[in-house]
Amino acid sequence: MSDWFLHHVNMPAHDVRQTARFLGEVIGLKEGIWIYPDRQGELHHDEQSIAYFGTGNQGIHVVRPITTFTRDNGFLHNPTIGGHFALGVEDVAAVKSRLENAGVAVTDAGIYAMSGVHQIYCYDPSFNVIEINEMRAPLPAGQLEKQDKSADVALHTVSIPAHDLAASVAFFRDLIGLGDGNIVSNAGSSCAEFSGADACLRLTQPSATFAGDNDLLHNPTTTPCFSITVADLAAVRERMASQDIEFSDLTPGELLVFCPSLRLIAVRDAA
């Protein structure tokens, strides 16, 4: 199976509103409206605990780390600590079966946080939390009418550290079912890329010298990173410069910057 997409990225933030202001005022994103299921888990959601950017629950989830989340919901994995990304697939039960048959522990959360979305969690070989989702039901028409399409977030690439690249490639290829990954060299760092619907998952071997070797302030190989596409990257650069926010020009059309929560993001020009 290779019919998958990036559903969202989850960013931990001890000060959710500070990170939300950064994404809104500096990056230029617009906060969206979360769509809850009729019955929900113990989410601890309030304005200080979550900020959402996107539509239809897809996009960027900024959350406050909650140490009791696993106990409160009976989970093995805590999706609020350390951040994660979520893949959308056609058959989450088949993915769960392959994972468990391979001895991988799975949290089956069911539909507990987002309307119509069946969520499961696991660790990959590098102990990154991975979320896999299946859209089980259409979003409620009444809620869809409230969604502002200008709040859409164009996720482009999610990059995560892979300490054993071969093991990580086999995990995402054979157990998650993303199809064949391509081993490539990314500015001197070994990585594997999986192509989905209008997006890419990149598994990168960490390199301590990557930033110095490429004259960058930021090292995207040692920490989870994701990229979004914006309509006017020059305006983003100007706002960062006016606020003395340090960033690295990865290419003429892409920059790297830390959010206030120190989650690294890449911002790409749509042109």
Side-chain angles (χ1 to χ4, degrees), residues 222-233:
T222 59
T223 182
C225 175
F226 67 93
S227 70
I228 58 174
T229 301
V230 298
D232 190 349
L233 184 62

Side-chain angles (χ1 to χ4, degrees), residues 1-261:
M1 181 198 74
S2 58
D3 187 11
W4 60 273
F5 64 95
L6 290 175
H7 186 273
H8 68 264
V9 293
N10 179 296
M11 297 170 57
H14 290 289
D15 188 330
V16 167
R17 300 322 307 173
Q18 180 189 37
T19 296
R21 286 192 296 272
F22 174 85
L23 292 173
E25 297 172 8
V26 178
I27 306 299
L29 305 182
K30 180 180 292 187
E31 285 201 54
I33 301 173
W34 194 274
I35 303 178
Y36 291 95
D38 292 334
R39 297 179 62 185
Q40 59 185 265
E42 186 59 61
L43 304 178
H44 303 276
H45 279 188
D46 57 39
E47 192 176 62
Q48 304 305 316
S49 295
I50 188 166
Y52 166 58
F53 295 82
T55 58
N57 290 337
Q58 299 184 42
I60 300 174
H61 304 174
V62 182
V63 301
R64 176 176 60 88
I66 299 169
T67 56
T68 63
F69 200 88
T70 50
R71 184 186 66 197
D72 296 341
N73 290 281
F75 289 1
L76 296 173
H77 307 81
N78 191 332
T80 73
I81 293 178
H84 64 270
F85 72 96
L87 299 169
V89 302
E90 290 186 338
D91 189 346
V92 77
V95 176
K96 178 185 176 185
S97 178
R98 290 194 296 270
L99 289 166
E100 291 183 332
N101 288 340
V104 178
V106 175
T107 291
D108 189 339
I111 299 174
Y112 88 109
M114 298 180 285
S115 179
V117 181
H118 186 155
Q119 302 169 257
I120 68 173
Y121 301 95
C122 66
Y123 290 122
D124 76 354
S126 296
F127 273 80
N128 299 296
V129 172
I130 310 299
E131 178 180 329
I132 305 101
N133 295 336
E134 179 187 339
M135 311 300 289
R136 284 286 179 86
L139 296 176
Q143 292 291 328
L144 283 174
E145 293 168 0
K146 300 176 183 178
Q147 301 291 293
D148 181 353
K149 293 300 291 182
S150 68
D152 276 347
V153 173
L155 291 174
H156 185 273
T157 300
V158 165
S159 178
I160 56 174
H163 300 284
D164 184 331
L165 193 56
S168 292
V169 167
F171 175 87
F172 284 97
R173 180 191 63 217
D174 301 332
L175 301 185
I176 307 300
L178 301 191
D180 291 330
N182 298 314
I183 305 293
V184 298
S185 178
N186 182 34
S189 176
S190 295
C191 60
E193 294 184 348
F194 292 87
S195 296
D198 301 321
C200 173
L201 169 63
R202 180 179 296 140
L203 314 175
T204 304
Q205 282 189 321
S207 168
T209 64
F210 184 90
D213 292 344
N214 293 280
D215 195 26
L216 302 172
L217 294 174
H218 308 78
N219 187 339
T221 74
T222 59
T223 182
C225 175
F226 67 93
S227 70
I228 58 174
T229 301
V230 298
D232 190 349
L233 184 62
V236 175
R237 280 198 176 96
E238 289 176 4
R239 290 193 290 268
M240 289 182 181
S242 69
Q243 298 183 40
D244 294 324
I245 297 172
E246 299 284 358
F247 61 89
S248 296
D249 280 312
L250 191 59
T251 70
E254 185 173 13
L255 61 82
L256 291 167
V257 65
F258 279 117
C259 291
S261 59

